[in-house]
Amino acid sequence: MKVFKWPTITLLIFMSLLLAACTSKTNGPEESGENENVEPEPITLKFLHAHGIDDEGFEKQYKNPIEDEFPYITIERIDTGDLDELIAKGEMPDIYFVENPVNIKNYIESELVLDLSDLIEKHDFDLNRIQPNILSEHRTFSDGNLYTIPLSLGLTALHYNKDIFDLFGVEYPTDHMTWDEVVSLAEKVTGEREGVQYHGLQPAFPSILYDQRGITFVDPDTDESRIMNDEFREEFVKVLQTMERLASIPGNIPKEESDAFLFEWGDQFISGRNVAMLPLWQLIEWYTSDETFNFDIVTYPEWEDLPGITRPSKAFSLGVTATSKYPDDAFKVIAYLLSDEKQIEWAKAGQASALNDSEINKHLFEDLIEERPHASDLNIEALTKQTPSAGSDHYSEYEHLAGGIYDNMVREIVEEGKDINTVLREGDEALTILLEDEKAKK
């Protein structure tokens, strides 16, 4: 048996340690591109953003700041939302923008989604920085996973025309009024004055009312209609009774043009100036474009049993695709866009932050106020005084079919004066047929 001498053993141990150190260095940060002393190889990240922004706006908001922060990254925009076309061309994005969490399902169906949990842990991203209800909303539409990270906070408000309230001699709305209180107020500012018909409240996009309560029409466990379900029927009744009350105010909802009144984006409020109150997502930038328009905002109407809760955020979000060759770099970009610095910058420009830090949203619309000093009189704080509803805890894949059913329910109440029980029964029957037809296609 060969016996090693101590000097030889010492040398072997030293060589082993040296080899281990070298191996560690080879397989560690340097290999993953995280060694700060090594200049990363230049890469191009394709960024899919096809919602409401032109190339100039995209460059200002995303491309230029990202490339300044990460000099080795070049951002290339993809501006089509046709995922089938992109897949057919093999033009796969690395980062994708989702304007509403409802639409995450499109990326799930196209098998582009990547659960971000591992990247979040790897890059030590603190999810506690994000408002929990907004995060829950995105998990709900991601099968309990987290395919996208909320980038913003959707804002709703009750806009009101001060001149109309002055004309009727009625006090202005205040923050945290309930739907019952707002409907009662609408009765006081509806009527004809000097040949002009004034409408107390325009319930534009009335689906927001049931959204706010977290109501779903399709049972996510059975994929069947739950409209007549004992547990949920009273929820539908509560929402439809509010619409019934608004429709019963003489002159509030024009019968001959009810669709235009119910499903338009707030144009009549500023162009006609004959609507006293408009509960809708905030439209401050549009409405302050005319300095003569004497309006203000308060918090979105609340349900009495849900104080302080507004509709779900429906916030913008960003995800990394499962096909990306650079998932770490793509995630670093998303994390950068969620930094306090960027979120403050965007808040100043009017995009509210989904982050928990309330100091960030205190900067809301500072750029607009600097440009339009008259906007400084607005009750901007009202926009962030409420908590977004988390919505339902999960949704059926067929839930999207219910939107048209609810709209028809509202039409039948407003235009035909049908009673709520009949409307619910017929809506349940119509939704059941739709569900059966849709399931038969599979």
Side-chain angles (χ1 to χ4, degrees):
M1 182 180 194
K2 190 169 183 180
V3 179
F4 287 102
K5 305 228 176 209
W6 279 110
T8 306
I9 295 173
T10 303
L11 179 62
L12 286 172
I13 292 173
F14 174 75
M15 291 177 66
S16 298
L17 291 172
L18 183 62
L19 179 61
C22 291
T23 304
S24 174
K25 187 180 265 187
T26 301
N27 295 331
E30 185 176 354
E31 182 178 89
S32 65
E34 294 176 3
N35 189 333
E36 294 181 1
N37 296 322
V38 177
E39 187 70 27
E41 290 291 324
I43 63 170
T44 296
L45 294 181
K46 295 185 177 181
F47 194 135
L48 172 56
H49 192 315
H51 178 76
I53 190 171
D54 59 18
D55 286 338
E56 182 181 352
F58 179 82
E59 289 181 5
K60 180 180 179 181
Q61 189 165 356
Y62 297 101
K63 180 178 171 64
N64 294 342
I66 292 170
E67 291 178 353
D68 287 344
E69 180 71 15
F70 305 100
Y72 70 99
I73 293 177
T74 297
I75 294 294
E76 179 182 312
R77 183 187 186 186
I78 299 175
D79 61 359
T80 175
D82 190 335
L83 297 181
D84 291 336
E85 178 185 337
L86 292 176
I87 292 170
K89 290 180 178 179
E91 188 179 359
M92 309 306 293
D94 298 283
I95 301 170
Y96 61 99
F97 174 95
V98 181
E99 71 278 9
N100 185 321
V102 171
N103 296 324
I104 293 174
K105 66 181 176 63
N106 299 332
Y107 296 86
I108 295 174
E109 291 168 358
S110 299
E111 299 182 348
L112 288 176
V113 294
L114 174 70
D115 185 4
L116 300 178
S117 300
D118 289 344
L119 289 170
I120 288 167
E121 182 177 359
K122 180 177 180 180
H123 295 281
D124 198 25
F125 184 86
D126 185 5
L127 285 178
N128 291 322
R129 295 175 59 232
I130 299 174
Q131 294 185 37
N133 278 18
I134 302 177
L135 206 57
S136 295
E137 182 187 10
H138 283 72
R139 286 193 187 278
T140 295
F141 288 103
S142 299
D143 303 326
N145 300 303
L146 194 59
Y147 296 138
T148 64
I149 295 183
L151 190 64
S152 65
L153 167 66
L155 301 174
T156 45
L158 177 66
H159 309 75
Y160 66 94
N161 186 321
K162 290 183 174 182
D163 290 339
I164 295 177
F165 278 85
D166 292 342
L167 179 65
F168 281 81
V170 176
E171 291 187 3
Y172 300 151
T174 56
D175 287 332
H176 300 296
M177 294 185 77
T178 65
W179 275 108
D180 283 343
E181 290 170 334
V182 168
V183 173
S184 296
L185 196 58
E187 294 173 351
K188 299 176 182 179
V189 286
T190 298
E192 187 175 322
R193 294 290 188 278
E194 298 179 1
V196 177
Q197 176 63 46
Y198 292 96
H199 310 279
L201 188 141
Q202 179 183 9
F205 290 88
S207 60
I208 298 178
L209 277 75
Y210 75 76
D211 241 4
Q212 189 181 14
R213 295 197 63 80
I215 298 174
T216 56
F217 286 71
V218 183
D219 189 316
D221 296 320
T222 64
D223 292 328
E224 296 178 352
S225 171
R226 61 174 21 160
I227 293 175
M228 297 299 288
N229 183 299
D230 289 341
E231 183 181 354
F232 293 93
R233 186 179 178 282
E234 288 309 308
E235 288 288 315
F236 295 111
V237 169
K238 187 180 297 243
V239 171
L240 292 176
Q241 280 178 338
T242 300
M243 292 304 304
E244 188 177 54
R245 278 191 65 194
L246 286 168
S248 70
I249 300 173
N252 184 47
I253 299 178
K255 295 287 192 297
E256 65 283 358
E257 298 176 349
S258 62
D259 255 34
F261 194 75
L262 290 169
F263 303 105
E264 68 101 19
W265 293 68
D267 179 65
Q268 185 167 342
F269 185 68
I270 185 171
S271 62
R273 306 205 182 181
N274 60 348
V275 172
M277 292 180 286
L278 174 71
L280 196 58
W281 44 84
Q282 69 81 17
L283 295 169
I284 287 174
E285 187 169 1
W286 180 9
Y287 292 161
T288 57
S289 63
D290 184 345
E291 191 172 351
T292 68
F293 188 28
N294 190 20
F295 82 100
D296 203 348
I297 61 170
V298 292
T299 54
Y300 192 81
E302 300 171 0
W303 294 103
E304 189 171 357
D305 59 334
L306 295 172
I309 301 296
T310 185
R311 74 157 191 161
S313 171
K314 302 294 178 74
F316 301 154
S317 63
L318 292 173
V320 177
T321 60
T323 55
S324 175
K325 295 179 181 178
Y326 311 107
D328 289 288
D329 301 285
F331 186 81
K332 287 178 183 177
V333 166
I334 294 175
Y336 162 66
L337 294 175
L338 278 157
S339 66
D340 288 358
E341 177 187 4
K342 288 304 296 180
Q343 292 289 299
I344 288 172
E345 178 186 322
W346 286 352
K348 289 179 178 180
Q351 179 173 294
S353 174
L355 300 185
N356 264 321
D357 187 350
S358 59
E359 292 300 311
I360 293 174
N361 283 330
K362 287 182 180 179
H363 295 278
L364 267 175
F365 290 108
E366 285 182 353
D367 292 349
L368 182 72
I369 291 170
E370 184 176 348
E371 178 188 337
R372 304 170 183 171
H374 61 280
S376 64
D377 295 330
L378 294 175
N379 180 22
I380 301 292
E381 294 81 8
L383 295 172
T384 53
K385 285 183 176 179
Q386 294 169 303
T387 301
S389 168
S392 176
D393 56 358
H394 62 306
Y395 292 85
S396 164
E397 63 178 302
Y398 302 106
E399 182 65 30
H400 65 283
L401 299 173
I405 298 293
Y406 175 76
D407 290 347
N408 284 334
M409 288 180 175
V410 171
R411 288 187 183 99
E412 289 174 348
I413 288 173
V414 171
E415 297 173 5
E416 302 174 31
K418 281 189 179 181
D419 67 277
I420 290 175
N421 289 329
T422 300
V423 166
L424 286 173
R425 187 184 68 253
E426 292 177 352
D428 181 68
E429 293 169 356
L431 181 55
T432 298
I433 293 170
L434 262 181
L435 290 169
E436 289 173 352
D437 291 345
E438 196 68 19
K439 291 172 188 176
K441 295 177 184 177
K442 295 198 170 185

